[in-house]
Amino acid sequence: MFENYIFSGFGYSAGKFTITNNDIYDALKKGYFEGFAEDKISGSAKFEKYRETHPDDTPFDYFAGNIMGFYERHYVRPFPPRVNRMQVESSLELAVKAVKNAMLDAKVQAGDIDAWFVSTVSPYQQAPGIAGSVKSFFVDAKNYTPAFSLMSGCAGFNQNLQKCI
């Protein structure tokens, strides 16, 4: 027998440090990163047309902002990385905050949840999945509701990569 499920709450959490496209572009220019093919984009007809209305934008602005829709990101460490190590939040800590926010939004208690779905692209642990660990912050060991960990990157990123050139 199949039942209908309703996702009734939304919650998120993010690292406390903001990284902008300009921060990343500066790091690219200083050699901190490799792999961004600026010449492929700057030589494309689509970029040249875009530059007609955005003359000050770099190929990275075009790619990250206009094509991908990323203008800033949130991270658990300052950017660029520093030599001294600091205590940072883990994916698990961020997930627990997000679930608390979702339960507040939905006005439900942990015991009311029939299944736990947790998704991340930067997992705290590979196996077992993070969903069981998140669930353990909210219910006791006698709670047998299933917990599903979804770990994957955005396939749309790879598809949009081709749109910009």
Side-chain angles (χ1 to χ4, degrees):
M1 179 170 109
F2 292 100
E3 296 182 28
N4 292 325
Y5 291 93
I6 298 171
F7 292 91
S8 56
F10 175 77
Y12 71 92
S13 61
K16 62 183 175 182
F17 296 100
T18 302
I19 302 170
T20 67
N21 287 347
N22 285 338
D23 295 330
I24 294 172
Y25 188 66
D26 287 344
L28 280 165
K29 288 296 187 189
K30 291 176 182 172
Y32 288 118
F33 301 119
E34 294 178 8
F36 179 69
E38 187 170 1
D39 57 323
K40 274 187 161 180
I41 294 171
S42 61
S44 73
K46 289 181 181 180
F47 176 66
E48 290 304 319
K49 180 141 181 74
Y50 173 82
R51 288 284 301 253
E52 292 172 7
T53 55
H54 302 84
D56 296 329
D57 282 6
T58 67
F60 190 79
D61 290 327
Y62 170 72
F63 171 71
N66 185 61
I67 298 297
M68 299 306 300
F70 300 130
Y71 297 96
E72 64 183 27
R73 299 131 190 93
H74 298 277
Y75 197 61
V76 296
R77 290 190 174 102
F79 187 84
R82 299 197 170 96
V83 175
N84 60 330
R85 292 283 179 185
M86 60 185 293
Q87 185 67 31
V88 298
E89 293 176 297
S90 69
S91 297
L92 179 60
E93 291 167 307
L94 292 171
V96 168
K97 287 180 185 178
V99 169
K100 283 181 183 176
N101 291 336
M103 289 190 314
L104 285 171
D105 185 50
K107 297 175 181 61
V108 299
Q109 300 297 313
D112 299 331
I113 296 173
D114 296 321
W116 299 75
F117 293 86
V118 179
S119 178
T120 182
V121 294
S122 55
Y124 167 73
Q125 59 196 37
Q126 291 293 325
I130 195 171
S133 298
V134 170
K135 176 185 158 186
S136 72
F137 276 80
F138 298 97
V139 297
D140 64 24
K142 294 179 182 170
N143 181 301
Y144 296 109
T145 56
F148 301 93
S149 294
L150 309 172
M151 293 182 219
S152 65
C154 176
F157 176 83
N158 295 325
Q159 292 172 349
N160 282 331
L161 180 61
Q162 291 302 315
K163 286 185 357 184
C164 70
I165 52 177

